[in-house]
Amino acid sequence: MVINIKRVGIIIREFKENNIDFIGTRKDLFSRFQDFNVSIIGIPINIEFNKLIEGVNICDGIILSGGENFHENDFKLVKYLIEKNIPTLGICLGMQSMAEYFNDRREIKVNNHYSTNKYVHKVKIKKGSRLYDILNKEEILVNSRHHTGIPYTNMLISAKSEDNIIEAVELSHLKYFIGLEWHPESINDNNSYLIFKSFINKL
């Protein structure tokens, strides 16, 4: 019997450590997929766009990972993922690239949303959203590691923080297109498991 193992592409980014340039993402994002029978493929955002798309096209779904800075390919990639209806989960900067594609790339500075604690604040989830259907909760605790936020977007806003910062967005007419401002890969709880499981189930 042939087992069809799905492929998840993780968009990896440039970062600097001890004045040395690297390309990658946090280990906990890769580790999160050990709970599922999938293969992981790292796809650098900072390569020629056609080469980036070659990597995307061999995957069944894409994770738009977090990071410090947007690359010009981010918004072209969001457009491509929507057009091809490729299951996509955006995290932090990845979520912002989704939302900013629909708001002329506007962002704002936010305060008190960066912490290394496991839980930082609550988010209120919109009933009727896909995120609500996944978690079956109107409120959850999340972590927070961002200095900027989204002032508005034409995507459905499916969660906000207590201080009214947009925390989750989605396009419900697509197979799976959800962005989260927090980092579910860094929270070992049932809410995070359900989010990744819902993504895997749509591949």
Side-chain angles (χ1 to χ4, degrees), residues 10 26-36 40 185:
I10 297 180
R26 289 175 58 99
K27 181 182 177 181
D28 52 11
L29 182 53
F30 281 89
S31 298
R32 176 54 80 175
F33 289 98
Q34 292 178 359
D35 295 332
F36 305 98
I40 301 299
E185 75 277 15

Side-chain angles (χ1 to χ4, degrees), residues 13-23 68:
R13 301 180 181 278
E14 292 179 285
F15 66 95
K16 187 181 291 288
E17 191 171 289
N18 298 323
N19 291 318
I20 300 174
D21 293 322
F22 293 88
I23 298 176
E68 294 296 323

Side-chain angles (χ1 to χ4, degrees), residues 2 6 14 16 28-29 43 49 63 77 82 85 106 113 120-121 127 146 171 179-180 202:
V2 176
K6 300 293 186 178
E14 292 179 285
K16 187 181 291 288
D28 52 11
L29 182 53
I43 307 172
F49 188 69
I63 302 289
L77 177 56
I82 293 170
N85 197 8
R106 303 291 179 87
H113 275 257
V120 179
H121 60 75
K127 272 193 168 184
H146 61 105
L171 292 178
L180 309 173
K202 291 296 183 179

Side-chain angles (χ1 to χ4, degrees), residues 50-93:
N50 287 336
K51 291 292 185 182
L52 187 157
I53 293 305
E54 287 180 10
V56 169
N57 286 341
I58 65 172
C59 297
D60 299 287
I62 296 295
I63 302 289
L64 301 177
S65 65
E68 294 296 323
N69 299 298
F70 291 118
H71 188 277
E72 62 179 352
N73 282 340
D74 276 300
F75 301 100
K76 291 191 287 185
L77 177 56
V78 168
K79 181 176 185 290
Y80 184 85
L81 294 170
I82 293 170
E83 289 175 347
K84 300 299 182 182
N85 197 8
I86 297 172
T88 303
L89 175 62
I91 296 172
C92 201
L93 187 77

